[in-house]
Amino acid sequence: MLLAIDVGNTNTVFALHDGAAVIAEWRCSTDRQRTADEYFVWLRQLFDHHGLHPAVRSVVISSVVPQVVFNLRVLSDRYFHTRPKVVGKPEVKLGVPVRVDPTTHVGADRLVNTVGAFDRYGGDLIVVDFGTATTFDVVGHDGAYEGGVIAPGVNLSLKALHDAAAALPFIDVTRPDHVVGTNTVACMQSGIYWGYVGLIEGLCARIRAERGTPMTVIGTGGLSTLFAQGTDVLEKVDTGLTIHGLVLIDRLNEE
């Protein structure tokens, strides 16, 4: 059994994969102070609740929060008796080239998404990931990671708007019925939703023009389904892309 762990800036996802499919998936808030013992107690309760008694034999980790990795390593060593594969470490193979400027560090999640997207959809892709940051990543014709764009995430923008303007409330993200709002909340919802739709459409158009080749746009991340309702640019939505990429990386390195 494989335990795939995707650590984001806001949430951490744990997924159990039995070799054929993901059989369980849970998330918790990303906490730099959480110990290996706390992770295990939480996971053990979830295992028991779902009637699972998995023999975890392999662990693979993608993390954009370096401080969390140590305790996840301890979790893997102490409770599952296996050395975890950490994406981004030199000994962990990706199976695809990375074409960026020398010494440039690429977020592990972006590399994992590249691996998963190329396997499912082939090359010449733009992967739009709606996370704490909204990222646009280019996957070459041969599956190579070839750079991208980083923009503020949707919820990050909402928080900044609320924090900087005392009169503006904190709102949820939803698709408004009209572009022009007639009250403060509706105006903010329109600005966030249709503003990000414009961001997605504009950046994807510019990337395609710069590359000069047809490119398929894949949406992933928690808000991808919502934003796909407002634009045809997101041709496919795949919220399981990161976990799929982790499974492939684990399999490659086991072989």
Side-chain angles (χ1 to χ4, degrees), residues 124-157:
D124 288 323
L125 307 174
I126 303 171
V127 179
V128 185
D129 191 347
F130 295 85
T132 304
T134 300
T135 57
F136 299 72
D137 293 310
V138 173
V139 182
H141 67 93
D142 60 347
Y145 177 83
E146 297 188 340
V149 178
I150 302 175
V154 178
N155 286 310
L156 190 63
S157 296

Side-chain angles (χ1 to χ4, degrees), residues 68-80:
V68 173
V69 174
F70 173 78
N71 282 318
L72 291 174
R73 282 184 177 274
V74 175
L75 169 72
S76 180
D77 290 335
R78 180 178 297 167
Y79 292 106
F80 302 124

Side-chain angles (χ1 to χ4, degrees), residues 71-212:
N71 282 318
L72 291 174
R73 282 184 177 274
V74 175
L75 169 72
S76 180
D77 290 335
R78 180 178 297 167
Y79 292 106
F80 302 124
H81 311 294
T82 184
R83 178 172 178 164
K85 305 170 188 70
V86 180
V87 176
K89 296 299 181 182
E91 68 273 13
V92 176
K93 297 177 288 186
L94 298 175
V96 299
V98 179
R99 300 194 185 108
V100 295
D101 295 340
T103 72
T104 297
H105 173 75
V106 181
D109 55 336
R110 304 172 79 183
L111 297 175
V112 172
N113 284 345
T114 296
V115 173
F118 181 62
D119 179 70
R120 282 184 167 168
Y121 307 105
D124 288 323
L125 307 174
I126 303 171
V127 179
V128 185
D129 191 347
F130 295 85
T132 304
T134 300
T135 57
F136 299 72
D137 293 310
V138 173
V139 182
H141 67 93
D142 60 347
Y145 177 83
E146 297 188 340
V149 178
I150 302 175
V154 178
N155 286 310
L156 190 63
S157 296
L158 278 173
K159 185 177 186 304
L161 194 61
H162 171 67
D163 290 347
L168 297 180
F170 194 80
I171 63 170
D172 62 335
V173 184
T174 187
R175 179 182 177 176
D177 295 329
H178 306 284
V179 175
V180 178
T182 54
N183 58 69
T184 300
V185 170
C187 291
M188 292 175 67
Q189 288 175 333
S190 182
I192 288 294
Y193 187 84
W194 296 115
Y196 267 87
V197 167
L199 174 76
I200 297 160
E201 293 175 342
L203 280 174
C204 287
R206 288 179 178 274
I207 292 170
R208 282 169 162 163
E210 185 172 275
R211 303 281 293 186

Side-chain angles (χ1 to χ4, degrees), residues 8-120:
N9 286 296
T10 304
N11 292 316
T12 299
V13 177
F14 292 77
L16 277 175
H17 194 280
D18 66 0
V22 173
I23 61 170
E25 185 174 305
W26 309 289
R27 69 180 57 229
C28 63
S29 59
T30 298
D31 183 354
R32 292 166 173 81
Q33 304 303 317
R34 187 172 284 126
T35 67
D37 300 328
E38 289 173 317
Y39 279 121
F40 182 72
V41 169
W42 177 73
L43 283 171
R44 183 59 184 266
Q45 289 176 329
L46 288 168
F47 290 168
D48 292 344
H49 176 75
H50 292 278
L52 296 170
H53 302 283
V56 174
R57 303 192 183 282
S58 185
V59 176
V60 60
I61 302 169
S62 165
S63 177
V64 298
V65 185
Q67 302 93 323
V68 173
V69 174
F70 173 78
N71 282 318
L72 291 174
R73 282 184 177 274
V74 175
L75 169 72
S76 180
D77 290 335
R78 180 178 297 167
Y79 292 106
F80 302 124
H81 311 294
T82 184
R83 178 172 178 164
K85 305 170 188 70
V86 180
V87 176
K89 296 299 181 182
E91 68 273 13
V92 176
K93 297 177 288 186
L94 298 175
V96 299
V98 179
R99 300 194 185 108
V100 295
D101 295 340
T103 72
T104 297
H105 173 75
V106 181
D109 55 336
R110 304 172 79 183
L111 297 175
V112 172
N113 284 345
T114 296
V115 173
F118 181 62
D119 179 70
R120 282 184 167 168

